[in-house]
Every structure is written in C-alpha cells, then in structure tokens.
Amino acid sequence: MKKLLLIATGGTIACRETENGLSPALSGTELLHFIPQLSDFCTVDVCDLMQLDSTDLTADDRLAMAQAVRRDADQYDGFVIAHGTDTLAYTAALLYHILTDLTKPVVLTGSMLPMGASSSDAPRNLLDACRVAADGRAGVVAVLCGKILPGNRVVKFHSTQIDAFLSAGAPPLGTVGADGKVRWDVPAAPPAPSAPAALDPHVLLLKLTPDLEPSFFSALHGYPKVILETFGAGGIPARLEHAVRALIESSTRVYITSQCTAGGVHLHHYAVGRRAEALGAISLGDRTTEDALAAVMCGEI
Ligand code: ASP
C-alpha cells in the first residue's frame, strides 16, 4: 500500500458558492471523501497548506508548497497538490525547477468544476493524480483530464471546458485510462543534480504589441530582468531597437520569448531576430511562458 501526502491549496476543486461567487472552502480531508476508491491502492495524509484561489498565489506560496514536499520527502511515496487551474502552470513550472533533485513523484491537479458539482471533473482528476503519485515515477507533473503533462510544459488553453490543458511543444508523458491504469508513453528522464540556491521573483513579462510605444521602456530602466514576449520566431521591431538597447544598457537583463505556444524562439533566422541578438537579448528557446519565468526566476539563464 503506497503512502501519499495530499497538499491542499484551494482552487475550484475546493470551491463552494458564496454570496461573492465561488470561493475555496473544502479541506483536503473533505476532498478525499469523494474518492473512496483510494483505499484500494494507497493511504493519504493531508496537509491543508492554504485555501486560496490560485489567482492570489505568489512565489512565497509556491515556495511553501515546495517546502511542504521537501519536509516530508522521506515519509511518503508521492505527493499530490490540489490547486486552482488558473495558475497551475506557473506552479508546475516553478516546482519543476525547484524540485529537480527529488526522487519522488509530485503531481499537481485541479478541476474546472467544484468537487461535488454535477458532472464535475474533480473526482476523476484527484483519483488519477493519486494513481500517478502512487505509481512512483519521480518528477513534477500535472494530471488533468486523463493526461499526464510534464511540469515545464503545462499550458491552460481554455477557461471553461473540462479538457482545458495541453502539453506545449512536447507530447504528454502518458495517460490515466478509464480503467485507472497509468500508462507512460515517454521514458523517464534521469534525475537532475541539484536545486537552485535562491529564487528571484523580480521578473517582468512584457507582451509586445505592434504599436507598443518606445517611451514605455524608460519606466523599466534598472529593473533586474525583463522577458519580452515577441512574435513568431522572435525579434525586436526596428522602432523599439533604441529603447531596448537603452534598457539593456541600464543593466536590465532582457530575454526573448514568443507569443506562439510551441515551436520556440529562433533569433538567427530573421534580420529582426539578429537585431535582438546584436542588442544582447537572450533567447528563451522553446520554453512556455510559465517555464521561461520559472527558469529566469531560478537564475538558470
Ligand atoms: N479561479 C480558479 C483558481 O485558479 C479556477 C480553477 O481552479 O479552475 O483557483
């Protein structure tokens, strides 16, 4: 019998209707009451860490989740984090970078409808997440709608439908079938050596639009790290060249990502991309937005 820890953090999965709209209310133990099948293959302890809509989570909250896992890493075979879906991808990516050396599964899940609501995806997602955590494969993943998504590739692409997540730029790692069987389609990655020493949340993500005014950049001078979400394969518009150069000269590190969900940045391809290279901007490759933020916050790039 596998021993798991459920870390409850809030989100729709734990929500109840209030006079102010949906708000997290269910404890981890209350969530577990909805999936009695768990006792067939595992025992689950509960850590009620926080009860928040994931819109309200900050880096400190995400670090608290990582610490809750580390504190009890020797006690459990796997960890399940029940989380709001809106920023689940940010948490998955950050934990992916922070818990690189962990030899246990860490599985994030949530739901689009509250636990107990008619046709809710919550019981299936929580049960599937526990099945994946009990399966024993190390690493940070998200389990939603039967898919096992790598922690650094999670994207929420739909705000209302039940199947709301995809794995950007790489196939899902596997699936959990209707029969409850965990199937891995991608081989396990070897464990990475060590976790980052410190985390700097002072990273600004700025979306370029075709008419963004160059004067806007002067307000950012000296800000530690700025990620520019550019178009397609990546590049700096000619009319912003001077403004981005001044920003870099002000000691801000400037990174380039793409508005495209997959395919990544290829700065050497077009003249507009070479312009970015010549300015000293750093490509974030094919990372998702959430993974790019996590990698930069952890000082990996
Ligand atoms: N607003 C909710 C949250 O992210 C949405 C959800 O969980 O589906 O906490």
Side-chain angles (χ1 to χ4, degrees):
M1 194 61 83
K2 293 292 177 85
K3 201 175 163 202
L4 307 182
L5 180 66
L6 170 65
I7 300 171
T9 71
T12 293
I13 192 166
C15 271
R16 285 290 173 263
E17 196 63 64
T18 72
E19 59 186 16
N20 297 318
L22 285 169
S23 188
L26 297 181
S27 67
T29 304
E30 287 169 319
L31 289 177
L32 292 176
H33 283 150
F34 287 84
I35 41 172
Q37 311 91 310
L38 276 178
S39 57
D40 295 346
F41 63 93
C42 65
T43 61
V44 186
D45 289 342
V46 169
C47 165
D48 284 306
L49 192 61
M50 57 195 78
Q51 213 169 48
L52 293 171
D53 189 296
S54 74
T55 299
D56 285 327
L57 297 176
T58 65
D60 283 345
D61 297 316
R62 296 186 164 92
L63 280 175
M65 295 177 207
Q67 279 155 8
V69 169
R70 281 213 186 276
R71 195 177 45 234
D72 287 331
D74 295 338
Q75 312 282 322
Y76 296 98
D77 298 303
F79 298 83
V80 173
I81 302 178
H83 196 290
T85 64
D86 287 345
T87 67
L88 188 148
Y90 288 95
T91 304
L94 198 61
L95 296 188
Y96 177 92
H97 286 271
I98 292 177
L99 299 175
T100 43
D101 54 331
L102 200 83
T103 55
K104 304 279 172 74
V106 177
V107 184
L108 289 105
T109 195
S111 63
M112 299 300 287
L113 294 173
M115 187 67 93
S118 141
S119 304
S120 173
D121 50 336
R124 178 194 179 183
N125 284 349
L126 189 54
L127 181 59
D128 285 356
C130 290
R131 289 195 194 282
V132 173
D135 193 64
R137 178 158 147 173
V140 176
V141 299
V143 170
L144 294 143
C145 207
K147 293 180 272 195
I148 309 172
L149 310 170
N152 61 333
R153 299 272 177 194
V154 181
V155 168
K156 183 177 179 182
F157 71 92
H158 204 288
S159 63
T160 57
Q161 74 180 23
I162 294 291
D163 187 5
F165 285 83
L166 55 78
S167 173
L173 297 175
T175 51
V176 185
D179 57 358
K181 283 223 162 51
V182 176
R183 205 185 85 181
W184 296 99
D185 298 321
V186 175
S194 64
L199 190 142
D200 179 8
H202 298 103
V203 183
L204 176 73
L205 173 69
L206 176 63
K207 185 177 181 69
L208 291 198
T209 53
D211 299 293
L212 184 67
E213 285 194 29
S215 61
F216 181 75
F217 283 81
S218 56
L220 306 178
H221 281 196
Y223 195 80
K225 297 170 178 176
V226 173
I227 300 174
L228 297 181
E229 186 192 292
T230 64
F231 316 113
I236 300 292
R239 54 189 191 78
L240 296 182
E241 184 174 7
H242 180 73
V244 174
R245 179 180 292 112
L247 181 62
I248 290 173
E249 284 171 0
S250 79
S251 81
T252 297
R253 269 169 88 84
V254 172
Y255 302 85
I256 305 288
T257 187
S258 171
Q259 69 181 7
C260 298
T261 310
V265 172
H266 304 277
L267 291 183
H268 217 59
H269 206 45
Y270 291 96
V272 293
R274 292 195 191 191
R275 185 185 292 147
E277 281 184 320
L279 289 173
I282 303 154
S283 167
L284 290 170
D286 80 335
R287 288 178 170 79
T288 62
T289 299
E290 293 87 347
D291 185 46
L293 267 168
V296 173
M297 282 166 76
C298 292
E300 285 176 24
I301 321 159

